[in-house]
Amino acid sequence: MTPRPSARLLVVDPRDRVLLLRFDHRNGPLAGQVHWATPGGALQPGESWEAAALRALAEETGIVADHPGVQVHARDFPLQMPDGSWVTAQERFFLIRVAEARVDTTRRTASEAEVLDRHAWWPLDDLARTTDIVHPDNLSDILRPHLRALSVPRLRPYEPMRDLDRCMALWRAASEVGHPFLDAATLDADAVLVRDVYMPAAEITVAERDGTVIGFIALLEDLVGGLFVDPGAHRSGAGRALVEDAVRRKGRLEVEVYAANAGACAFYAACGFVETGRRDIDDHGRALPLICMTLTGKDQTRPD
């Protein structure tokens, strides 16, 4: 059979979900076959595996990258094509992590648009349990060891010229999710204070994954002035890593969190913070109750 080299993409978001496309063949020899598979495509003449991976990634998902990531898997097997012919598929899989779970389908070719009817970001546990047909069928087993190796974010000191805009974008996104009781005008006003007053005065550490900042913690001595994680990276371990690093360095941490922010309250409690008091007015004079919490190094636990 004719060899058909093909580059496939294991696209993983900050929550360790893998992107799969659903193929629904309605016509021709493959009519009636429905399955999920990774983005990817055959190599064009003279094209490298990496170049084919980047091209297919952009065409099928709208994701533009400089590098397809590392090759983590390979398989060769007989494959029937839509025209009924058989080839020897030679697939090479590249693992790439993206900063957000977003797909743009406008670049797909007519033939791709005809057969690709939906996409989804799959948690590995759901992938392992599904009764849907997925190619390759051991995809969760392929991914798990590699995701474990990538799961711990890298922490480094904040660099204003490099990180300010990204941190402000994270602050806004996280604030909109965690503080729905603050309207857009209030967040606009707070953003000015955060950028011009609080950020320059704080000791800041950022968490990054694959070169992208996904969270940061701002400390004023042992007070957590702010801890913000990209909503797309919630439950990825970034917030916990930032807290654990800060308490190792400081020995003790204090934080004040809006009582209405149930997610933040639960996160800090899971990290080992204990409530030490409350106040009814925030630093801006707004009638928004705050919970005061404290953590010492010996109090740490590991949240789920």
Side-chain angles (χ1 to χ4, degrees):
M1 287 184 288
T2 302
R4 183 180 185 268
S6 176
R8 315 298 306 182
L9 282 304
L10 303 176
V11 185
V12 178
D13 76 355
R15 295 168 59 186
D16 283 352
R17 301 178 302 175
V18 62
L19 174 63
L20 295 180
L21 312 180
R22 199 179 86 144
F23 292 72
D24 184 356
H25 296 278
R26 301 178 181 86
N27 304 297
L30 301 183
Q33 295 188 25
V34 179
H35 68 270
W36 294 89
T38 65
L43 274 63
Q44 295 180 351
E47 193 173 37
S48 68
W49 297 98
E50 291 78 8
L54 293 175
R55 176 179 50 78
L57 182 67
E59 287 178 357
E60 294 184 354
T61 72
I63 298 170
V64 177
D66 296 326
H67 191 278
V70 296
Q71 182 180 323
V72 297
H73 186 65
R75 65 172 187 163
D76 294 2
F77 62 100
L79 174 70
Q80 187 178 22
M81 301 299 293
D83 64 2
S85 64
W86 286 85
V87 299
T88 299
Q90 299 173 332
E91 295 186 338
R92 304 297 180 263
F93 290 80
F94 296 85
L95 174 59
I96 182 170
R97 191 183 286 276
V98 294
E100 56 183 337
R102 179 177 297 178
V103 171
D104 176 5
T105 64
T106 60
R107 301 186 183 191
R108 290 178 181 171
T109 65
S111 59
E112 289 169 345
E114 181 181 359
V115 72
L116 297 175
D117 68 345
R118 71 184 69 169
H119 69 271
W121 295 87
W122 287 66
L124 293 198
D125 288 343
D126 291 355
L127 190 59
R129 289 192 296 261
T130 186
T131 57
D132 289 359
I133 298 173
V134 178
H135 296 307
D137 58 7
N138 62 337
L139 184 54
S140 62
D141 293 332
I142 293 170
L143 274 169
R144 284 188 193 281
H146 299 289
L147 294 187
R148 281 196 294 269
L150 294 174
S151 63
V152 179
R154 172 177 175 261
L155 306 187
R156 62 169 175 80
Y158 167 78
E159 300 175 20
M161 296 295 293
R162 173 183 176 186
D163 300 322
L164 178 59
D165 288 345
R166 174 62 179 162
C167 286
M168 289 303 302
L170 290 181
W171 172 87
R172 184 62 179 246
S175 295
E176 289 175 351
V177 171
H179 304 154
F181 43 85
L182 299 179
D183 59 26
T186 299
L187 289 177
D188 288 343
D190 285 355
V192 176
L193 288 174
V194 171
R195 175 184 285 269
D196 296 341
V197 178
Y198 299 147
M199 296 288 280
E203 176 187 349
I204 301 173
T205 299
V206 302
E208 65 178 8
R209 180 171 284 146
D210 295 340
T212 298
V213 174
I214 59 172
F216 70 94
I217 189 169
L219 301 175
L220 300 170
E221 299 297 339
D222 61 1
L223 174 67
V224 180
L227 171 59
F228 299 94
V229 175
D230 187 330
H234 283 178
R235 302 189 67 83
S236 69
R240 180 178 66 239
L242 287 165
V243 167
E244 291 178 347
D245 174 71
V247 79
R248 274 196 300 269
R249 291 185 286 114
K250 301 296 183 180
R252 178 180 184 276
L253 294 176
E254 293 184 356
V255 68
E256 291 185 326
V257 59
Y258 285 115
N261 189 347
C265 292
F267 167 78
Y268 284 117
C271 284
F273 282 81
V274 295
E275 182 176 338
T276 54
R278 296 196 174 209
R279 59 189 180 104
D280 296 328
I281 305 296
D282 73 4
D283 291 339
H284 304 281
R286 299 178 294 222
L288 294 171
L290 291 163
I291 299 175
C292 308
M293 308 179 80
T294 301
L295 170 70
T296 59
K298 61 182 176 60
D299 295 330
Q300 290 183 84
T301 61
R302 296 189 67 84
D304 296 335

